[in-house]
């Protein structure tokens, strides 16, 4: 039989906050935790790349095509540059593109999806046509075309070899996914009782969108954003591999793979290590996205509260 003190302590225990419930569910997902650890190691490694004694762009012809060894853990490339250092500096570009693309796509897609889902009617019809038209574009061909156009624009912030330029190219094509998701969220929540109550109290449409509906739909948006980072890294690698992304001598995982195909049979490490980094980054982010989806599931959170 439990003691009175134990019963009293149990009844006086403060309730968990929503963030603590989400964190508890997230850390119980082994794949998500593994992904978070791998991604944290990758980010920390690329941030500390400047501590290496090797320069990612300076050639050392005497040491060209050196296999992995104690001096060069991932070997050297055709110009004698350390592959590990170039991968770390390339990770700065690839990961930055991933986060920037998601930011750009959300900045465009969330307002459009919110307006379409909240107002409905002719507003939804017009914006849905814009979304469908953008999604119907042949993605790869349009990415190459837009990248080539932006290279010719003489603007200080749109340099041909710029991370921002590539991010704009990919962000312009990826926002419809975010817009359709937000539109569906608003269609679901706009008829809820708390929205009706806010309207009855005289709240403006903008206030209802920003303060009432959008915060309640953050879960799916966050999950989609984490998955979008992985897609953006893969798309940047594809563009660079085809010669329309980040151009040498600036390293990125994609252009390192592009150069490695010339020597794939003789020096396979030139392709193995950049490809491995792309794989680890994408799979870790996807695992994090899976964990976030489960952790933010409202039905599972409610079941956990009942326990």
């Amino acid at each position: 039989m439990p003691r009175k003190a134990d019963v009293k302590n149990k009844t006086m225990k403060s309730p968990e906050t929503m963030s603590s419930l989400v964190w508890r569910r997230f850390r119980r997902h082994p794949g998500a935790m593994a992904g978070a650890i791998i991604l944290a190691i990758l980010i920390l490694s690329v941030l500390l790349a400047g501590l290496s004694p090797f320069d990612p762009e300076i050639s050392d012809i005497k040491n060209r095509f050196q296999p992995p060894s104690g001096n060069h853990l991932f070997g050297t490339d055709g110009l004698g540059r350390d592959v590990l250092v170039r991968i770390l500096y390339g990770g700065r570009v690839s990961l930055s593109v991933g986060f920037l693309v998601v930011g750009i796509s959300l900045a465009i897609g969330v307002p459009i999806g919110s307006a379409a889902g909240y107002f409905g009617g002719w507003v939804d019809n017009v914006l849905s046509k814009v979304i469908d038209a953008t999604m119907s574009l042949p993605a790869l061909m349009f990415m190459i075309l837009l990248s080539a156009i932006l290279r010719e624009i003489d603007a200080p912030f749109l340099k041909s070899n710029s991370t921002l330029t590539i991010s704009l190219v990919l962000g312009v094509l990826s926002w419809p996914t975010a817009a359709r998701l937000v539109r569906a969220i608003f269609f679901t929540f706009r008829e809820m009782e708390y929205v009706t109550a806010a309207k009855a109290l005289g709240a403006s449409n903008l206030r209802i969108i920003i303060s009432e509906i959008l915060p309640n739909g953050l879960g799916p948006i966050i999950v989609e954003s984490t998955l979008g980072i992985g897609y953006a890294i893969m798309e940047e690698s594809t563009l660079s591999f085809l010669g329309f992304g980040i151009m040498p001598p600036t390293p990125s995982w994609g252009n390192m793979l592009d150069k490695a195909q010339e020597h794939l049979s003789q020096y396979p490490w030139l392709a193995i290590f950049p490809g491995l980094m792309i794989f680890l980054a994408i799979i870790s982010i996807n695992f994090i996205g899976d964990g976030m989806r489960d952790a933010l599931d409202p039905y599972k959170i409610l079941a956990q509260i009942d326990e």
Side-chain angles (χ1 to χ4, degrees):
M1 184 174 180
R3 293 179 301 176
K4 290 183 178 181
D6 294 337
V7 174
K8 185 177 180 180
N9 290 335
K10 186 174 182 180
T11 57
M12 293 180 63
K13 185 180 179 181
S14 60
E16 285 189 282
T17 62
M18 183 62 69
S19 59
S20 64
L21 287 170
V22 170
W23 167 242
R24 182 142 61 94
R25 289 195 55 79
F26 181 81
R27 71 172 185 259
R28 288 180 178 177
H29 193 295
M33 288 304 296
I37 292 171
I38 292 172
L39 184 62
I41 292 173
L42 285 176
I43 292 174
L44 183 62
S45 299
V46 302
L47 291 177
L48 297 177
L51 299 178
S52 171
F54 301 106
D55 190 287
E57 298 183 12
I58 295 180
S59 303
D60 183 10
I61 303 300
K62 294 180 180 179
N63 291 313
R64 62 195 304 262
F65 293 129
Q66 292 292 316
S69 63
N71 292 330
H72 301 281
L73 295 180
F74 287 4
T76 62
D77 63 6
L79 295 177
R81 299 170 297 192
D82 187 87
V83 173
L84 174 58
V85 172
R86 286 183 60 78
I87 284 175
L88 295 179
Y89 277 92
R92 292 182 178 183
V93 172
S94 298
L95 292 174
S96 297
V97 167
F99 286 102
L100 279 173
V101 168
V102 168
I104 292 169
S105 65
L106 290 179
I108 301 173
V110 169
I112 291 177
S114 301
Y118 180 77
F119 294 106
W122 68 268
V123 176
D124 178 44
N125 290 333
V126 171
L127 294 179
S128 293
K129 294 295 186 295
V130 174
I131 293 171
D132 293 339
T134 306
M135 295 191 75
S136 67
L137 295 171
L140 183 59
M141 186 175 70
F142 194 75
M143 281 193 296
I144 293 174
L145 177 63
L146 191 57
S147 177
I149 292 173
L150 288 177
R151 284 185 182 185
E152 302 302 322
I153 296 177
D154 187 16
F157 57 90
L158 287 179
K159 299 179 181 179
S160 61
N161 203 27
S162 167
T163 300
L164 178 60
T165 303
I166 303 303
S167 300
L168 283 173
V169 171
L170 300 177
V172 165
L173 288 174
S174 61
W175 69 264
T177 303
R180 293 185 73 174
L181 174 63
V182 175
R183 174 178 175 269
I185 291 171
F186 272 74
F187 268 129
T188 302
F189 289 137
R190 70 179 183 178
E191 303 299 334
M192 293 289 186
E193 292 180 357
Y194 67 87
V195 175
T196 305
K199 290 180 180 178
L201 291 172
S204 65
N205 290 328
L206 184 61
R207 180 179 177 80
I208 293 172
I209 290 172
I210 296 176
S211 301
E212 302 294 339
I213 301 180
L214 198 56
N216 289 289
L218 281 179
I221 295 172
I222 291 173
V223 172
E224 180 61 32
S225 299
T226 58
L227 298 176
I229 295 172
Y231 298 146
I233 291 173
M234 187 165 55
E235 289 169 347
E236 181 276 325
S237 300
T238 302
L239 268 183
S240 297
F241 181 80
L242 295 174
F244 290 91
I246 304 297
M247 301 302 294
T250 302
S252 80
W253 292 338
N255 65 32
M256 290 182 71
L257 278 177
D258 176 37
K259 294 301 179 183
Q261 65 178 333
E262 303 172 7
H263 313 285
L264 190 58
S265 59
Q266 291 180 295
Y267 315 109
W269 63 85
L270 298 179
I272 289 174
F273 293 117
L276 180 62
M277 293 300 106
I278 295 172
F279 170 77
L280 288 176
I282 292 175
I283 199 68
S284 63
I285 291 171
N286 285 344
F287 280 152
I288 292 171
D290 289 341
M292 292 295 293
R293 182 184 58 219
D294 292 343
L296 293 168
D297 188 329
Y299 298 104
K300 294 181 178 179
I301 292 175
L302 288 174
Q304 188 172 337
I305 293 175
D306 293 338
E307 293 175 1

